Amino acid sequence: MPGTLMNAPVIRIEQLNKSYETSAGLFPALKEINLDIAAGEFVAIMGPSGSGKSTFMNILGCLDEPSSGRYMLDGRSVAELHGDELALLRNRSIGFVFQGFNLLQRMSLLDNVALPLIYCGVQREELQRRAHDLLAKVGLKDYADSMPNRISGGQQQRVAIARALVNRPRLLLADEPTGNLDSHTSEEIMGLFGELNREGITIVLVTHEADIAHHAHRQVRFFDGRIVSDQATPSMEVAA
Ligand SMILES: Nc1ncnc2c1ncn2[C@@H]1O[C@H](COP(=O)(O)OP(=O)(O)O)[C@@H](O)[C@H]1O
Ligand SMILES: [Mg+2]
């Protein structure tokens, strides 16, 4: 494909800065960020509240733009993409999962999962088949016709994950996906992320909980808008 480099990292961030305009002037939320994420990685983004994690995720997801620096996604410079090209890249390459699930309450679970496909002109039959398959994959096979308010928070997050996967993205971004869930349910959701990663999806997940981050293979820590550490997750094996 023109413009796509073979073996390029899925994500390459170079000297990226992001400042917000506030009444008190420019506020630097991200400072001189450099980061590569290779295909198939499972990365946890950590750091205290206000350290820039969500700002960073929004840029990764092409929901916001850096103030300076470069973001290469799949070997392509995001800043050079326009309108439809950017929308296509965002819709086809990236799946999002948020803390608050963000399901449409008046739609069945099946329709919630299928929703992103409607904008892609996928035929109704194919759309339903894919949504059914994904609901089965996340353990909600018999819930296709249920409404979101009839299921638990953990189940709602599973539906949100199914929806994020419906366009078969290579990259899954999740901003504190277990932030509203109890620890047992969080473990189940992390098990699902682990399974998806083993199937080849690259995952970048924000959490401020060490137990959750342990499921990732690499932990990148933000503090005050900068990356202050980047290391492999220590082995979970402990001496008996
Ligand atoms: N839209 C915005 N306008 C101004 N400041 C913002 C905006 N969004 C975030 N910030 C500020 O940027 C910093 C980083 O925020 P955020 O990325 O949400 O951090 P985190 O997700 O790590 O809690 C915080 O100080 C926050 O107040
Ligand atoms: Mg945040």
Side-chain angles (χ1 to χ4, degrees), residues 99-182:
Q99 180 172 353
F101 322 137
N102 299 8
L103 301 180
L104 294 179
Q105 294 300 320
R106 289 163 189 271
M107 279 189 179
S108 71
L109 301 190
L110 188 82
D111 287 343
N112 264 281
V113 173
L115 194 62
L117 293 177
I118 291 172
Y119 303 112
C120 298
V122 175
Q123 295 300 309
R124 186 174 171 77
E125 216 167 273
E126 162 76 0
L127 186 142
Q128 294 208 330
R129 192 181 58 75
R130 266 158 79 171
H132 267 295
D133 286 353
L134 280 165
L135 278 176
K137 184 173 183 62
V138 301
L140 293 169
K141 184 171 160 302
D142 299 324
Y143 290 77
D145 298 324
S146 300
M147 302 303 277
N149 62 3
R150 296 289 176 165
I151 60 174
S152 70
Q155 289 170 325
Q156 290 190 49
Q157 194 58 298
R158 286 172 181 275
V159 175
I161 292 169
R163 180 183 56 190
L165 295 173
V166 80
N167 273 322
R168 303 180 177 134
R170 295 179 64 210
L171 174 63
L172 193 57
L173 302 175
D175 194 349
E176 308 213 31
T178 61
N180 286 345
L181 303 176
D182 64 65

Side-chain angles (χ1 to χ4, degrees), residues 188-210:
E188 287 178 357
I189 292 292
M190 292 311 296
L192 179 56
F193 278 117
E195 194 182 307
L196 295 170
N197 177 246
R198 283 191 292 280
E199 290 170 11
I201 297 183
T202 308
I203 299 180
V204 184
L205 172 145
V206 172
T207 180
H208 48 241
E209 291 174 67

Side-chain angles (χ1 to χ4, degrees), residues 6-234:
M6 292 294 284
N7 298 325
V10 177
I11 289 168
R12 167 160 284 176
I13 299 281
E14 289 172 350
Q15 286 297 110
L16 185 145
N17 294 278
K18 172 70 183 180
S19 294
Y20 290 111
E21 280 179 42
T22 71
S23 53
L26 281 183
F27 176 82
L30 293 174
K31 304 165 193 170
E32 292 166 42
I33 302 292
N34 292 289
L35 191 71
D36 275 5
I37 296 177
E41 281 202 88
F42 186 172
V43 181
I45 303 287
M46 304 193 68
S49 180
S51 58
K53 305 182 300 296
S54 292
T55 300
F56 185 65
M57 293 298 274
N58 290 342
I59 291 173
L60 289 189
C62 307
L63 300 173
D64 200 357
E65 294 174 351
S67 304
S68 66
R70 207 149 84 118
Y71 174 22
M72 306 279 288
L73 177 59
D74 275 334
R76 307 177 73 188
S77 172
V78 170
E80 287 160 26
L81 301 175
H82 296 288
D84 290 352
E85 255 186 332
L86 184 60
L88 203 66
L89 182 75
R90 192 168 52 207
N91 293 340
R92 295 282 165 82
S93 304
I94 307 173
F96 292 95
V97 180
F98 301 97
Q99 180 172 353
F101 322 137
N102 299 8
L103 301 180
L104 294 179
Q105 294 300 320
R106 289 163 189 271
M107 279 189 179
S108 71
L109 301 190
L110 188 82
D111 287 343
N112 264 281
V113 173
L115 194 62
L117 293 177
I118 291 172
Y119 303 112
C120 298
V122 175
Q123 295 300 309
R124 186 174 171 77
E125 216 167 273
E126 162 76 0
L127 186 142
Q128 294 208 330
R129 192 181 58 75
R130 266 158 79 171
H132 267 295
D133 286 353
L134 280 165
L135 278 176
K137 184 173 183 62
V138 301
L140 293 169
K141 184 171 160 302
D142 299 324
Y143 290 77
D145 298 324
S146 300
M147 302 303 277
N149 62 3
R150 296 289 176 165
I151 60 174
S152 70
Q155 289 170 325
Q156 290 190 49
Q157 194 58 298
R158 286 172 181 275
V159 175
I161 292 169
R163 180 183 56 190
L165 295 173
V166 80
N167 273 322
R168 303 180 177 134
R170 295 179 64 210
L171 174 63
L172 193 57
L173 302 175
D175 194 349
E176 308 213 31
T178 61
N180 286 345
L181 303 176
D182 64 65
S183 56
H184 177 74
T185 309
S186 296
E187 282 299 313
E188 287 178 357
I189 292 292
M190 292 311 296
L192 179 56
F193 278 117
E195 194 182 307
L196 295 170
N197 177 246
R198 283 191 292 280
E199 290 170 11
I201 297 183
T202 308
I203 299 180
V204 184
L205 172 145
V206 172
T207 180
H208 48 241
E209 291 174 67
D211 288 357
I212 297 296
H214 236 101
H215 289 266
H217 305 141
R218 176 178 171 195
Q219 302 184 10
V220 174
R221 188 172 294 274
F222 280 66
F223 187 83
D224 198 16
R226 295 182 193 276
I227 291 178
V228 292
S229 75
D230 180 353
Q231 51 198 190
T233 301

